[in-house]
PDB file of all heavy atoms in Angstrom:
ATOM      1  N   ALA A 139      -9.258 -30.290  -5.839  1.00 90.00           N
ATOM      2  CA  ALA A 139     -10.540 -29.591  -5.715  1.00 90.00           C
ATOM      3  C   ALA A 139     -11.688 -30.583  -5.707  1.00 90.00           C
ATOM      4  O   ALA A 139     -12.662 -30.423  -4.964  1.00 90.00           O
ATOM      5  CB  ALA A 139     -10.708 -28.600  -6.867  1.00 90.00           C
ATOM      6  N   PHE A 142     -11.724 -32.119  -2.296  1.00 89.00           N
ATOM      7  CA  PHE A 142     -12.230 -31.171  -1.298  1.00 89.00           C
ATOM      8  C   PHE A 142     -13.741 -30.998  -1.425  1.00 89.00           C
ATOM      9  O   PHE A 142     -14.413 -30.665  -0.460  1.00 89.00           O
ATOM     10  CB  PHE A 142     -11.548 -29.814  -1.452  1.00 89.00           C
ATOM     11  CG  PHE A 142     -10.146 -29.779  -0.888  1.00 89.00           C
ATOM     12  CD1 PHE A 142      -9.109 -29.218  -1.621  1.00 89.00           C
ATOM     13  CD2 PHE A 142      -9.868 -30.294   0.363  1.00 89.00           C
ATOM     14  CE1 PHE A 142      -7.830 -29.181  -1.112  1.00 89.00           C
ATOM     15  CE2 PHE A 142      -8.591 -30.262   0.881  1.00 89.00           C
ATOM     16  CZ  PHE A 142      -7.569 -29.700   0.138  1.00 89.00           C
ATOM     17  N   SER A 143     -14.276 -31.173  -2.629  1.00 87.00           N
ATOM     18  CA  SER A 143     -15.707 -30.938  -2.813  1.00 87.00           C
ATOM     19  C   SER A 143     -16.541 -32.188  -2.606  1.00 87.00           C
ATOM     20  O   SER A 143     -17.624 -32.118  -2.047  1.00 87.00           O
ATOM     21  CB  SER A 143     -15.984 -30.423  -4.222  1.00 87.00           C
ATOM     22  OG  SER A 143     -15.106 -29.432  -4.588  1.00 87.00           O
ATOM     23  N   TRP A 144     -16.064 -33.349  -3.094  1.00 85.00           N
ATOM     24  CA  TRP A 144     -16.967 -34.501  -3.194  1.00 85.00           C
ATOM     25  C   TRP A 144     -16.482 -35.743  -2.482  1.00 85.00           C
ATOM     26  O   TRP A 144     -17.069 -36.797  -2.647  1.00 85.00           O
ATOM     27  CB  TRP A 144     -17.219 -34.831  -4.675  1.00 85.00           C
ATOM     28  CG  TRP A 144     -17.870 -33.714  -5.391  1.00 85.00           C
ATOM     29  CD1 TRP A 144     -17.296 -32.874  -6.285  1.00 85.00           C
ATOM     30  CD2 TRP A 144     -19.223 -33.273  -5.260  1.00 85.00           C
ATOM     31  NE1 TRP A 144     -18.186 -31.940  -6.722  1.00 85.00           N
ATOM     32  CE2 TRP A 144     -19.386 -32.161  -6.106  1.00 85.00           C
ATOM     33  CE3 TRP A 144     -20.311 -33.706  -4.495  1.00 85.00           C
ATOM     34  CZ2 TRP A 144     -20.580 -31.483  -6.213  1.00 85.00           C
ATOM     35  CZ3 TRP A 144     -21.509 -33.024  -4.616  1.00 85.00           C
ATOM     36  CH2 TRP A 144     -21.633 -31.931  -5.463  1.00 85.00           C
ATOM     37  N   GLU A 146     -15.180 -37.664   1.225  1.00 82.00           N
ATOM     38  CA  GLU A 146     -15.227 -37.541   2.673  1.00 82.00           C
ATOM     39  C   GLU A 146     -13.890 -37.940   3.249  1.00 82.00           C
ATOM     40  O   GLU A 146     -13.439 -39.063   3.022  1.00 82.00           O
ATOM     41  CB  GLU A 146     -16.293 -38.498   3.212  1.00 82.00           C
ATOM     42  CG  GLU A 146     -17.672 -37.908   3.301  1.00 82.00           C
ATOM     43  CD  GLU A 146     -17.728 -36.755   4.270  1.00 82.00           C
ATOM     44  OE1 GLU A 146     -17.304 -36.921   5.427  1.00 82.00           O
ATOM     45  OE2 GLU A 146     -18.182 -35.661   3.862  1.00 82.00           O
ATOM     46  N   ARG A 150     -10.499 -32.357   5.883  1.00 84.00           N
ATOM     47  CA  ARG A 150     -10.533 -31.753   4.555  1.00 84.00           C
ATOM     48  C   ARG A 150     -10.758 -30.243   4.635  1.00 84.00           C
ATOM     49  O   ARG A 150     -10.201 -29.502   3.839  1.00 84.00           O
ATOM     50  CB  ARG A 150     -11.580 -32.421   3.679  1.00 84.00           C
ATOM     51  CG  ARG A 150     -12.996 -32.010   3.921  1.00 84.00           C
ATOM     52  CD  ARG A 150     -13.873 -32.614   2.841  1.00 84.00           C
ATOM     53  NE  ARG A 150     -15.229 -32.126   2.976  1.00 84.00           N
ATOM     54  CZ  ARG A 150     -16.199 -32.459   2.152  1.00 84.00           C
ATOM     55  NH1 ARG A 150     -15.976 -33.265   1.155  1.00 84.00           N
ATOM     56  NH2 ARG A 150     -17.409 -31.966   2.325  1.00 84.00           N
ATOM     57  N   TYR A 151     -11.547 -29.799   5.603  1.00 86.00           N
ATOM     58  CA  TYR A 151     -11.782 -28.358   5.682  1.00 86.00           C
ATOM     59  C   TYR A 151     -10.510 -27.630   6.101  1.00 86.00           C
ATOM     60  O   TYR A 151     -10.146 -26.604   5.526  1.00 86.00           O
ATOM     61  CB  TYR A 151     -12.922 -28.058   6.661  1.00 86.00           C
ATOM     62  CG  TYR A 151     -13.305 -26.597   6.631  1.00 86.00           C
ATOM     63  CD1 TYR A 151     -13.954 -26.060   5.515  1.00 86.00           C
ATOM     64  CD2 TYR A 151     -12.991 -25.748   7.693  1.00 86.00           C
ATOM     65  CE1 TYR A 151     -14.280 -24.734   5.466  1.00 86.00           C
ATOM     66  CE2 TYR A 151     -13.323 -24.408   7.649  1.00 86.00           C
ATOM     67  CZ  TYR A 151     -13.978 -23.902   6.529  1.00 86.00           C
ATOM     68  OH  TYR A 151     -14.286 -22.578   6.471  1.00 86.00           O
ATOM     69  N   PHE A 154      -8.130 -27.470   3.202  1.00 88.00           N
ATOM     70  CA  PHE A 154      -8.538 -26.487   2.191  1.00 88.00           C
ATOM     71  C   PHE A 154      -8.223 -25.069   2.650  1.00 88.00           C
ATOM     72  O   PHE A 154      -7.667 -24.267   1.891  1.00 88.00           O
ATOM     73  CB  PHE A 154     -10.039 -26.636   1.902  1.00 88.00           C
ATOM     74  CG  PHE A 154     -10.558 -25.637   0.921  1.00 88.00           C
ATOM     75  CD1 PHE A 154     -10.108 -25.633  -0.387  1.00 88.00           C
ATOM     76  CD2 PHE A 154     -11.481 -24.672   1.307  1.00 88.00           C
ATOM     77  CE1 PHE A 154     -10.567 -24.713  -1.296  1.00 88.00           C
ATOM     78  CE2 PHE A 154     -11.956 -23.747   0.406  1.00 88.00           C
ATOM     79  CZ  PHE A 154     -11.492 -23.759  -0.903  1.00 88.00           C
ATOM     80  N   LEU A 216     -10.947 -23.649  -8.577  1.00 87.00           N
ATOM     81  CA  LEU A 216     -11.568 -24.878  -9.061  1.00 87.00           C
ATOM     82  C   LEU A 216     -12.474 -25.495  -7.999  1.00 87.00           C
ATOM     83  O   LEU A 216     -13.517 -26.058  -8.326  1.00 87.00           O
ATOM     84  CB  LEU A 216     -10.500 -25.880  -9.503  1.00 87.00           C
ATOM     85  CG  LEU A 216      -9.688 -25.435 -10.715  1.00 87.00           C
ATOM     86  CD1 LEU A 216      -8.647 -26.466 -11.066  1.00 87.00           C
ATOM     87  CD2 LEU A 216     -10.595 -25.190 -11.909  1.00 87.00           C
ATOM     88  N   ARG A 217     -12.080 -25.356  -6.732  1.00 87.00           N
ATOM     89  CA  ARG A 217     -12.946 -25.890  -5.681  1.00 87.00           C
ATOM     90  C   ARG A 217     -14.269 -25.107  -5.690  1.00 87.00           C
ATOM     91  O   ARG A 217     -15.348 -25.682  -5.544  1.00 87.00           O
ATOM     92  CB  ARG A 217     -12.227 -25.799  -4.347  1.00 87.00           C
ATOM     93  CG  ARG A 217     -13.017 -25.562  -3.100  1.00 87.00           C
ATOM     94  CD  ARG A 217     -13.712 -26.790  -2.589  1.00 87.00           C
ATOM     95  NE  ARG A 217     -15.038 -26.391  -2.127  1.00 87.00           N
ATOM     96  CZ  ARG A 217     -15.420 -26.379  -0.865  1.00 87.00           C
ATOM     97  NH1 ARG A 217     -14.618 -26.822   0.050  1.00 87.00           N
ATOM     98  NH2 ARG A 217     -16.600 -25.948  -0.530  1.00 87.00           N
ATOM     99  N   ASN A 218     -14.206 -23.791  -5.885  1.00 83.00           N
ATOM    100  CA  ASN A 218     -15.434 -23.004  -5.959  1.00 83.00           C
ATOM    101  C   ASN A 218     -16.329 -23.496  -7.090  1.00 83.00           C
ATOM    102  O   ASN A 218     -17.536 -23.592  -6.950  1.00 83.00           O
ATOM    103  CB  ASN A 218     -15.106 -21.522  -6.206  1.00 83.00           C
ATOM    104  CG  ASN A 218     -14.816 -20.807  -4.923  1.00 83.00           C
ATOM    105  OD1 ASN A 218     -14.878 -21.405  -3.854  1.00 83.00           O
ATOM    106  ND2 ASN A 218     -14.479 -19.543  -5.018  1.00 83.00           N
ATOM    107  N   TYR A 219     -15.701 -23.816  -8.224  1.00 84.00           N
ATOM    108  CA  TYR A 219     -16.498 -24.199  -9.393  1.00 84.00           C
ATOM    109  C   TYR A 219     -16.998 -25.632  -9.267  1.00 84.00           C
ATOM    110  O   TYR A 219     -18.185 -25.907  -9.421  1.00 84.00           O
ATOM    111  CB  TYR A 219     -15.658 -24.041 -10.661  1.00 84.00           C
ATOM    112  CG  TYR A 219     -16.488 -24.094 -11.912  1.00 84.00           C
ATOM    113  CD1 TYR A 219     -17.018 -22.940 -12.457  1.00 84.00           C
ATOM    114  CD2 TYR A 219     -16.765 -25.303 -12.528  1.00 84.00           C
ATOM    115  CE1 TYR A 219     -17.799 -22.981 -13.589  1.00 84.00           C
ATOM    116  CE2 TYR A 219     -17.540 -25.363 -13.660  1.00 84.00           C
ATOM    117  CZ  TYR A 219     -18.059 -24.202 -14.184  1.00 84.00           C
ATOM    118  OH  TYR A 219     -18.839 -24.242 -15.304  1.00 84.00           O
ATOM    119  N   ILE A 220     -16.055 -26.562  -8.975  1.00 86.00           N
ATOM    120  CA  ILE A 220     -16.420 -27.977  -8.913  1.00 86.00           C
ATOM    121  C   ILE A 220     -17.381 -28.219  -7.759  1.00 86.00           C
ATOM    122  O   ILE A 220     -18.308 -29.027  -7.864  1.00 86.00           O
ATOM    123  CB  ILE A 220     -15.143 -28.845  -8.783  1.00 86.00           C
ATOM    124  CG1 ILE A 220     -14.340 -28.750 -10.076  1.00 86.00           C
ATOM    125  CG2 ILE A 220     -15.473 -30.284  -8.475  1.00 86.00           C
ATOM    126  CD1 ILE A 220     -13.013 -29.468 -10.047  1.00 86.00           C
ATOM    127  N   GLY A 221     -17.198 -27.479  -6.659  1.00 83.00           N
ATOM    128  CA  GLY A 221     -18.084 -27.645  -5.517  1.00 83.00           C
ATOM    129  C   GLY A 221     -19.498 -27.190  -5.797  1.00 83.00           C
ATOM    130  O   GLY A 221     -20.433 -27.614  -5.122  1.00 83.00           O
ATOM    131  N   SER A 222     -19.672 -26.319  -6.809  1.00 82.00           N
ATOM    132  CA  SER A 222     -21.014 -25.812  -7.084  1.00 82.00           C
ATOM    133  C   SER A 222     -21.710 -26.607  -8.190  1.00 82.00           C
ATOM    134  O   SER A 222     -22.815 -26.254  -8.583  1.00 82.00           O
ATOM    135  CB  SER A 222     -20.953 -24.332  -7.455  1.00 82.00           C
ATOM    136  OG  SER A 222     -20.250 -24.168  -8.644  1.00 82.00           O
ATOM    137  N   LEU A 223     -21.080 -27.666  -8.687  1.00 83.00           N
ATOM    138  CA  LEU A 223     -21.783 -28.540  -9.636  1.00 83.00           C
ATOM    139  C   LEU A 223     -22.923 -29.223  -8.892  1.00 83.00           C
ATOM    140  O   LEU A 223     -22.810 -29.514  -7.708  1.00 83.00           O
ATOM    141  CB  LEU A 223     -20.818 -29.600 -10.192  1.00 83.00           C
ATOM    142  CG  LEU A 223     -19.671 -29.098 -11.067  1.00 83.00           C
ATOM    143  CD1 LEU A 223     -18.741 -30.256 -11.411  1.00 83.00           C
ATOM    144  CD2 LEU A 223     -20.194 -28.453 -12.327  1.00 83.00           C
ATOM    145  N   SER A 225     -25.141 -31.691  -7.049  1.00 85.00           N
ATOM    146  CA  SER A 225     -24.733 -32.940  -6.402  1.00 85.00           C
ATOM    147  C   SER A 225     -25.493 -34.123  -6.977  1.00 85.00           C
ATOM    148  O   SER A 225     -25.010 -35.258  -6.927  1.00 85.00           O
ATOM    149  CB  SER A 225     -24.956 -32.852  -4.899  1.00 85.00           C
ATOM    150  OG  SER A 225     -26.311 -32.586  -4.636  1.00 85.00           O
TER     151      SER A 225
ATOM    152  N   MET B  24     -21.915 -19.086  -2.032  1.00 40.00           N
ATOM    153  CA  MET B  24     -21.129 -20.289  -2.275  1.00 40.00           C
ATOM    154  C   MET B  24     -20.950 -21.077  -0.996  1.00 40.00           C
ATOM    155  O   MET B  24     -21.196 -22.256  -0.944  1.00 40.00           O
ATOM    156  CB  MET B  24     -19.799 -19.857  -2.894  1.00 40.00           C
ATOM    157  CG  MET B  24     -18.604 -20.738  -2.581  1.00 40.00           C
ATOM    158  SD  MET B  24     -17.532 -20.011  -1.341  1.00 40.00           S
ATOM    159  CE  MET B  24     -16.695 -21.452  -0.756  1.00 40.00           C
ATOM    160  N   SER B  25     -20.605 -20.372   0.116  1.00 42.00           N
ATOM    161  CA  SER B  25     -20.215 -21.101   1.306  1.00 42.00           C
ATOM    162  C   SER B  25     -21.405 -21.828   1.930  1.00 42.00           C
ATOM    163  O   SER B  25     -21.274 -22.968   2.346  1.00 42.00           O
ATOM    164  CB  SER B  25     -19.584 -20.164   2.320  1.00 42.00           C
ATOM    165  OG  SER B  25     -20.459 -19.115   2.596  1.00 42.00           O
ATOM    166  N   SER B  26     -22.552 -21.182   1.957  1.00 43.00           N
ATOM    167  CA  SER B  26     -23.688 -21.800   2.611  1.00 43.00           C
ATOM    168  C   SER B  26     -24.071 -23.092   1.894  1.00 43.00           C
ATOM    169  O   SER B  26     -24.412 -24.085   2.513  1.00 43.00           O
ATOM    170  CB  SER B  26     -24.872 -20.833   2.613  1.00 43.00           C
ATOM    171  OG  SER B  26     -25.296 -20.608   1.306  1.00 43.00           O
ATOM    172  N   LYS B  27     -23.952 -23.085   0.584  1.00 42.00           N
ATOM    173  CA  LYS B  27     -24.328 -24.237  -0.212  1.00 42.00           C
ATOM    174  C   LYS B  27     -23.425 -25.437   0.094  1.00 42.00           C
ATOM    175  O   LYS B  27     -23.884 -26.528   0.302  1.00 42.00           O
ATOM    176  CB  LYS B  27     -24.211 -23.861  -1.686  1.00 42.00           C
ATOM    177  CG  LYS B  27     -25.215 -24.555  -2.571  1.00 42.00           C
ATOM    178  CD  LYS B  27     -25.215 -23.893  -3.929  1.00 42.00           C
ATOM    179  CE  LYS B  27     -25.471 -24.882  -5.027  1.00 42.00           C
ATOM    180  NZ  LYS B  27     -25.154 -24.309  -6.322  1.00 42.00           N
ATOM    181  N   THR B  28     -22.124 -25.183   0.105  1.00 42.00           N
ATOM    182  CA  THR B  28     -21.195 -26.285   0.327  1.00 42.00           C
ATOM    183  C   THR B  28     -21.322 -26.818   1.738  1.00 42.00           C
ATOM    184  O   THR B  28     -21.224 -28.008   1.962  1.00 42.00           O
ATOM    185  CB  THR B  28     -19.755 -25.849   0.074  1.00 42.00           C
ATOM    186  OG1 THR B  28     -19.593 -24.542   0.577  1.00 42.00           O
ATOM    187  CG2 THR B  28     -19.423 -25.902  -1.383  1.00 42.00           C
ATOM    188  N   ASP B  29     -21.559 -25.923   2.692  1.00 43.00           N
ATOM    189  CA  ASP B  29     -21.694 -26.375   4.066  1.00 43.00           C
ATOM    190  C   ASP B  29     -22.826 -27.384   4.193  1.00 43.00           C
ATOM    191  O   ASP B  29     -22.704 -28.414   4.834  1.00 43.00           O
ATOM    192  CB  ASP B  29     -21.962 -25.194   4.998  1.00 43.00           C
ATOM    193  CG  ASP B  29     -20.709 -24.353   5.160  1.00 43.00           C
ATOM    194  OD1 ASP B  29     -19.629 -24.843   4.771  1.00 43.00           O
ATOM    195  OD2 ASP B  29     -20.816 -23.237   5.653  1.00 43.00           O
ATOM    196  N   GLU B  30     -23.927 -27.050   3.526  1.00 41.00           N
ATOM    197  CA  GLU B  30     -25.065 -27.928   3.548  1.00 41.00           C
ATOM    198  C   GLU B  30     -24.675 -29.314   3.060  1.00 41.00           C
ATOM    199  O   GLU B  30     -25.015 -30.320   3.657  1.00 41.00           O
ATOM    200  CB  GLU B  30     -26.126 -27.392   2.593  1.00 41.00           C
ATOM    201  CG  GLU B  30     -27.400 -26.954   3.262  1.00 41.00           C
ATOM    202  CD  GLU B  30     -28.268 -26.260   2.239  1.00 41.00           C
ATOM    203  OE1 GLU B  30     -28.619 -26.913   1.261  1.00 41.00           O
ATOM    204  OE2 GLU B  30     -28.559 -25.063   2.425  1.00 41.00           O
ATOM    205  N   ARG B  31     -23.937 -29.331   1.958  1.00 41.00           N
ATOM    206  CA  ARG B  31     -23.612 -30.597   1.357  1.00 41.00           C
ATOM    207  C   ARG B  31     -22.709 -31.426   2.250  1.00 41.00           C
ATOM    208  O   ARG B  31     -22.831 -32.631   2.327  1.00 41.00           O
ATOM    209  CB  ARG B  31     -22.969 -30.386  -0.002  1.00 41.00           C
ATOM    210  CG  ARG B  31     -23.250 -31.544  -0.935  1.00 41.00           C
ATOM    211  CD  ARG B  31     -22.497 -31.408  -2.210  1.00 41.00           C
ATOM    212  NE  ARG B  31     -21.134 -31.034  -1.938  1.00 41.00           N
ATOM    213  CZ  ARG B  31     -20.621 -29.886  -2.271  1.00 41.00           C
ATOM    214  NH1 ARG B  31     -21.332 -29.005  -2.895  1.00 41.00           N
ATOM    215  NH2 ARG B  31     -19.366 -29.618  -1.991  1.00 41.00           N
ATOM    216  N   ILE B  32     -21.788 -30.725   2.942  1.00 41.00           N
ATOM    217  CA  ILE B  32     -20.890 -31.452   3.826  1.00 41.00           C
ATOM    218  C   ILE B  32     -21.700 -32.200   4.874  1.00 41.00           C
ATOM    219  O   ILE B  32     -21.417 -33.335   5.222  1.00 41.00           O
ATOM    220  CB  ILE B  32     -19.898 -30.471   4.489  1.00 41.00           C
ATOM    221  CG1 ILE B  32     -18.926 -29.980   3.436  1.00 41.00           C
ATOM    222  CG2 ILE B  32     -19.150 -31.141   5.622  1.00 41.00           C
ATOM    223  CD1 ILE B  32     -18.069 -28.846   3.890  1.00 41.00           C
ATOM    224  N   ASP B  33     -22.779 -31.560   5.339  1.00 42.00           N
ATOM    225  CA  ASP B  33     -23.592 -32.213   6.349  1.00 42.00           C
ATOM    226  C   ASP B  33     -24.358 -33.401   5.777  1.00 42.00           C
ATOM    227  O   ASP B  33     -24.574 -34.404   6.446  1.00 42.00           O
ATOM    228  CB  ASP B  33     -24.577 -31.218   6.952  1.00 42.00           C
ATOM    229  CG  ASP B  33     -23.838 -30.138   7.723  1.00 42.00           C
ATOM    230  OD1 ASP B  33     -22.696 -30.408   8.147  1.00 42.00           O
ATOM    231  OD2 ASP B  33     -24.399 -29.053   7.881  1.00 42.00           O
ATOM    232  N   GLU B  34     -24.776 -33.278   4.542  1.00 40.00           N
ATOM    233  CA  GLU B  34     -25.610 -34.313   3.959  1.00 40.00           C
ATOM    234  C   GLU B  34     -24.836 -35.584   3.629  1.00 40.00           C
ATOM    235  O   GLU B  34     -25.315 -36.682   3.802  1.00 40.00           O
ATOM    236  CB  GLU B  34     -26.233 -33.817   2.655  1.00 40.00           C
ATOM    237  CG  GLU B  34     -27.438 -32.917   2.864  1.00 40.00           C
ATOM    238  CD  GLU B  34     -27.827 -32.254   1.566  1.00 40.00           C
ATOM    239  OE1 GLU B  34     -27.397 -32.752   0.502  1.00 40.00           O
ATOM    240  OE2 GLU B  34     -28.540 -31.257   1.633  1.00 40.00           O
ATOM    241  N   GLU B  35     -23.634 -35.377   3.171  1.00 40.00           N
ATOM    242  CA  GLU B  35     -22.954 -36.466   2.480  1.00 40.00           C
ATOM    243  C   GLU B  35     -22.862 -37.779   3.256  1.00 40.00           C
ATOM    244  O   GLU B  35     -23.145 -38.820   2.677  1.00 40.00           O
ATOM    245  CB  GLU B  35     -21.563 -36.012   2.031  1.00 40.00           C
ATOM    246  CG  GLU B  35     -21.388 -36.277   0.563  1.00 40.00           C
ATOM    247  CD  GLU B  35     -20.102 -35.684   0.068  1.00 40.00           C
ATOM    248  OE1 GLU B  35     -19.975 -34.458   0.014  1.00 40.00           O
ATOM    249  OE2 GLU B  35     -19.220 -36.477  -0.225  1.00 40.00           O
ATOM    250  N   PRO B  36     -22.492 -37.747   4.542  1.00 41.00           N
ATOM    251  CA  PRO B  36     -22.283 -39.018   5.229  1.00 41.00           C
ATOM    252  C   PRO B  36     -23.495 -39.923   5.191  1.00 41.00           C
ATOM    253  O   PRO B  36     -23.362 -41.138   5.189  1.00 41.00           O
ATOM    254  CB  PRO B  36     -21.958 -38.597   6.661  1.00 41.00           C
ATOM    255  CG  PRO B  36     -21.461 -37.210   6.542  1.00 41.00           C
ATOM    256  CD  PRO B  36     -22.191 -36.616   5.380  1.00 41.00           C
ATOM    257  N   ARG B 479     -14.394 -13.153   0.039  1.00 65.00           N
ATOM    258  CA  ARG B 479     -15.288 -14.177   0.579  1.00 65.00           C
ATOM    259  C   ARG B 479     -16.616 -13.568   1.005  1.00 65.00           C
ATOM    260  O   ARG B 479     -17.665 -14.137   0.791  1.00 65.00           O
ATOM    261  CB  ARG B 479     -14.632 -14.874   1.768  1.00 65.00           C
ATOM    262  CG  ARG B 479     -13.491 -15.768   1.372  1.00 65.00           C
ATOM    263  CD  ARG B 479     -12.820 -16.321   2.594  1.00 65.00           C
ATOM    264  NE  ARG B 479     -13.774 -17.066   3.403  1.00 65.00           N
ATOM    265  CZ  ARG B 479     -13.828 -18.390   3.419  1.00 65.00           C
ATOM    266  NH1 ARG B 479     -12.999 -19.084   2.699  1.00 65.00           N
ATOM    267  NH2 ARG B 479     -14.701 -19.008   4.170  1.00 65.00           N
TER     268      ARG B 479
END
Side-chain angles (χ1 to χ4, degrees):
Chain A
F142 283 133
S143 314
W144 298 106
E146 271 297 307
R150 78 172 186 178
Y151 187 70
F154 178 64
L216 294 179
R217 147 78 220 249
N218 275 359
Y219 194 91
I220 292 175
S222 64
L223 294 174
S225 58
Chain B
M24 149 257 159
S25 55
S26 66
K27 212 168 146 194
T28 39
D29 288 346
E30 245 171 60
R31 209 186 45 247
I32 289 170
D33 294 336
E34 281 169 18
E35 233 173 291
R479 289 175 58 103

